[in-house]
Amino acid sequence: MQLLIYGPGRLGSAIATAARVAGWPEPEVVGRPPLHGSRTPAPRADVVIDASMGAAVLPNLRHALAAGNRRFVLATTSWDTDHSRAQALLSEHGAVAVRAPNLSLGAALFARLVEAAAGWYAAVGGFEPSIVEWHRRGKVDRPSGTALALGHRIIAVDPRWTLGPDADGGHPTIEIAGIRAGATPGTHLVTFDGAGEFVELRLVARERSAYAEGALAAARWLVAARRAEGIHPFDVVVDELLATASDPLAA
């Protein structure tokens, strides 16, 4: 499978390495949009992966779509305000994308575990959720996209909480703390604090190969069948992987 990768940074490089290990052709890698002047036309590829930065997502989409590319994996965070414009752009061109704040398969399953746990602790009452995330010093967004996604999972099953200021003052905000230090790819800690006990769920990324494998899984999902145009959550890829996996209890 031929990939076109926007973003030659840490994540883009990890995805390119994973593609080589998988035996795919050498990926085409494109840098940031120029501040002035025009870009050379984009190459054609089976799947385009954006691993750049939030502000570059729309310019990169336009650049790739103009060259006839129609399948995308959006692995960039901090572009929520451009989501509707990206959705319209993809629909206009009959294109499809998979989007995830974190393409790690382990993180996707971790998010489901957090949601289930949040529902359990909400049902019994008396437990307060919170989130702590650590990332390398150079990571710009705070909180991380993964931390916000985990927060949304929690309030989906425990509406006592909110992620932002509550206009009515009836719902307290989930505490999300961010640390930027060192070179760690990412750690997320979700806690449920009760009166006499404390429960924590922890996800630690040792290296970016985990994100890269998820990106390849999303690329495979895009080319395996005709998908509806627009933006799909990474959950649909995970759902299909779980559906086709062997039942671990069958043995």
Side-chain angles (χ1 to χ4, degrees):
M1 187 186 311
Q2 182 66 57
L3 296 182
L4 168 58
I5 301 173
Y6 284 87
R10 294 174 176 86
L11 178 57
S13 297
I15 294 171
T17 297
R20 296 185 199 102
V21 171
W24 297 1
E26 181 67 23
E28 299 275 358
V29 180
V30 178
R32 294 180 180 179
L35 294 176
H36 306 286
S38 59
R39 307 169 92 172
T40 58
R44 286 289 298 271
D46 297 306
V47 177
V48 177
I49 300 180
D50 192 306
S52 58
M53 56 190 300
V57 169
L58 280 182
N60 289 342
L61 270 178
R62 295 189 184 99
H63 185 234
L65 287 167
N69 293 293
R70 295 296 182 265
R71 302 185 190 99
F72 297 83
V73 177
L74 304 176
T76 307
T77 59
S78 299
W79 59 280
D80 287 352
T81 56
D82 290 330
H83 184 276
S84 60
R85 282 182 286 179
Q87 179 80 276
L89 196 59
L90 291 166
S91 297
E92 177 186 338
H93 289 84
V96 58
V98 171
R99 180 195 182 183
N102 188 327
L103 281 167
S104 158
L105 294 171
L109 297 176
F110 178 78
R112 296 181 181 210
L113 177 61
V114 167
E115 183 173 348
W120 297 333
Y121 288 113
V124 299
F127 287 85
E128 179 174 346
S130 63
I131 301 171
V132 181
E133 50 98 354
W134 293 267
H135 284 86
R136 61 184 174 83
R137 180 169 295 280
K139 184 174 176 60
V140 177
D141 56 326
R142 184 202 303 255
S144 69
T146 302
L148 290 174
L150 292 172
H152 283 294
R153 292 267 187 174
I154 292 171
I155 63 175
V157 295
D158 189 356
R160 296 174 302 165
W161 305 94
T162 181
L163 287 184
D166 184 13
D168 299 328
H171 299 282
T173 301
I174 295 176
E175 185 70 21
I176 301 180
I179 300 171
R180 298 292 176 267
T184 178
T187 297
H188 291 84
L189 175 69
V190 180
T191 62
F192 299 94
D193 195 337
E197 53 193 340
F198 179 89
V199 180
E200 67 177 42
L201 302 174
R202 184 186 298 264
L203 170 69
V204 179
R206 288 194 295 266
E207 57 183 30
R208 290 173 180 81
S209 60
Y211 309 142
E213 289 302 323
L216 298 196
R220 293 187 185 99
W221 181 85
L222 284 167
V223 301
R226 184 177 179 82
R227 309 297 183 182
E229 64 185 34
I231 300 176
H232 298 260
F234 188 50
D235 272 342
V236 297
V237 179
V238 179
D239 287 340
E240 191 163 296
L241 288 173
L242 292 175
T244 57
S246 299
D247 183 354
L249 300 180

